[in-house]
Amino acid sequence: MERVICLIIGYVFGLFQTAYFYGKMHGIDIRQHGSGNAGTTNTLRVLGTKAGLIVLAGDCLKCMAAIWVVKLLFGASHPEIVYLLKLYAAAGAILGHNYPFYLGFKGGKGIAATAGLILAFHPYFIVMGVAVFFGIFFTTHYVSLGSLLVYVGLMIEMVVCGQMGLFAGMSRIQLYEMYGITAFLAIMAYWKHRENIVRLLHGNERKTYLTKKNKVNAEEETKS
């Protein structure tokens, strides 16, 4: 029962569509512009860096908030499975972000919300997430590639930490349950990025830049 409650809590938090609401405040439906995705990258491209950072923060925080609420509710009564319950909350938040019922189940791709999972789940996961994503992004300027590889790192770290006893008190079955949830989130992320994957394979994925100066410099390098 606790699992269902945590999933619902997460989904409710995930329903706060930061990109959609920010776009509406500026007179547009973000889903009708750019890639049509209600997420950080599309907002950054359509409305600028400031807007992208605001959306990133909002989508991170809603997943973090869901995890914090679950920890407050069940941390004392279910300490042995608190990490499992936090993961259910994060999964609910990512599902709510990706598939908000009041927007016809058309939301984002869940990467910013996943960043919230990495930041709030356990301190060990933060270094991996930051290093992988920003290392790939600043090297290639492909947000999609960085996002996909973050999930590879998350899956590996979840299993390694679980097998090394980081989640003390959990049974082997409960650990496998955590691995299964993480694998489900990874598969969903890859499914949501299927078009990006095709473009990456064909070498025509669009690059993303944080400043116009970086974009201009890159275009000049391409022409030279």
Side-chain angles (χ1 to χ4, degrees), residues 19 37-45 48 51-57 59 97 112:
N37 183 59
T40 298
T41 304
N42 194 40
T43 303
L44 186 150
R45 290 171 176 168
L53 292 175
I54 290 172
V55 170
L56 172 63
D59 287 345
H97 174 78

Side-chain angles (χ1 to χ4, degrees), residues 55-68:
V55 170
L56 172 63
D59 287 345
C60 280
L61 285 172
K62 66 187 181 187
C63 187
M64 295 173 73
I67 291 173
W68 292 334

Side-chain angles (χ1 to χ4, degrees), residues 40-101:
T40 298
T41 304
N42 194 40
T43 303
L44 186 150
R45 290 171 176 168
V46 174
L47 295 173
T49 301
K50 177 183 176 182
L53 292 175
I54 290 172
V55 170
L56 172 63
D59 287 345
C60 280
L61 285 172
K62 66 187 181 187
C63 187
M64 295 173 73
I67 291 173
W68 292 334
V69 168
V70 163
K71 184 177 180 180
L72 286 173
L73 289 176
F74 298 107
S77 59
H78 296 76
E80 72 285 355
I81 60 168
V82 67
Y83 284 108
L84 176 60
L85 297 180
K86 290 197 294 184
L87 191 56
Y88 269 103
I94 294 168
L95 284 168
H97 174 78
N98 290 355
Y99 303 104
F101 73 89

Side-chain angles (χ1 to χ4, degrees), residues 186-199:
I187 291 169
M188 181 168 61
Y190 274 72
W191 171 254
K192 296 288 285 186
H193 283 83
R194 61 193 182 279
E195 294 178 358
N196 303 87
I197 293 172
V198 172
R199 290 194 293 269

Side-chain angles (χ1 to χ4, degrees), residues 14-15 52 102 137 157 177 210 214:
L15 290 176
Y102 65 96
F137 173 70
E157 188 159 23
E177 189 176 352
L210 297 180
N214 284 339

Side-chain angles (χ1 to χ4, degrees), residues 76-211:
S77 59
H78 296 76
E80 72 285 355
I81 60 168
V82 67
Y83 284 108
L84 176 60
L85 297 180
K86 290 197 294 184
L87 191 56
Y88 269 103
I94 294 168
L95 284 168
H97 174 78
N98 290 355
Y99 303 104
F101 73 89
Y102 65 96
L103 294 178
F105 300 97
K106 185 181 179 182
K109 295 181 179 179
I111 300 304
T114 300
L117 158 61
I118 291 171
L119 291 172
F121 188 74
H122 193 284
Y124 285 178
F125 285 64
I126 298 174
V127 175
M128 177 281 299
V130 172
V132 172
F133 178 79
F134 286 105
I136 296 298
F137 173 70
F138 286 122
T139 301
T140 67
H141 291 285
Y142 290 133
V143 173
S144 55
L145 182 60
S147 303
L148 293 169
L149 291 181
V150 161
Y151 260 106
V152 174
L154 178 61
M155 187 73 239
I156 293 172
E157 188 159 23
M158 188 69 73
V159 173
V160 170
C161 289
Q163 296 304 111
M164 291 180 63
L166 180 66
F167 313 121
M170 293 182 60
S171 67
R172 186 169 296 276
I173 292 177
Q174 289 165 342
L175 286 175
Y176 289 159
E177 189 176 352
M178 288 183 66
Y179 305 158
I181 296 168
T182 308
F184 166 76
L185 294 177
I187 291 169
M188 181 168 61
Y190 274 72
W191 171 254
K192 296 288 285 186
H193 283 83
R194 61 193 182 279
E195 294 178 358
N196 303 87
I197 293 172
V198 172
R199 290 194 293 269
L200 284 167
L201 292 174
H202 287 84
N204 56 7
E205 172 71 324
R206 181 177 175 181
K207 294 186 177 183
T208 300
Y209 300 87
L210 297 180
T211 66

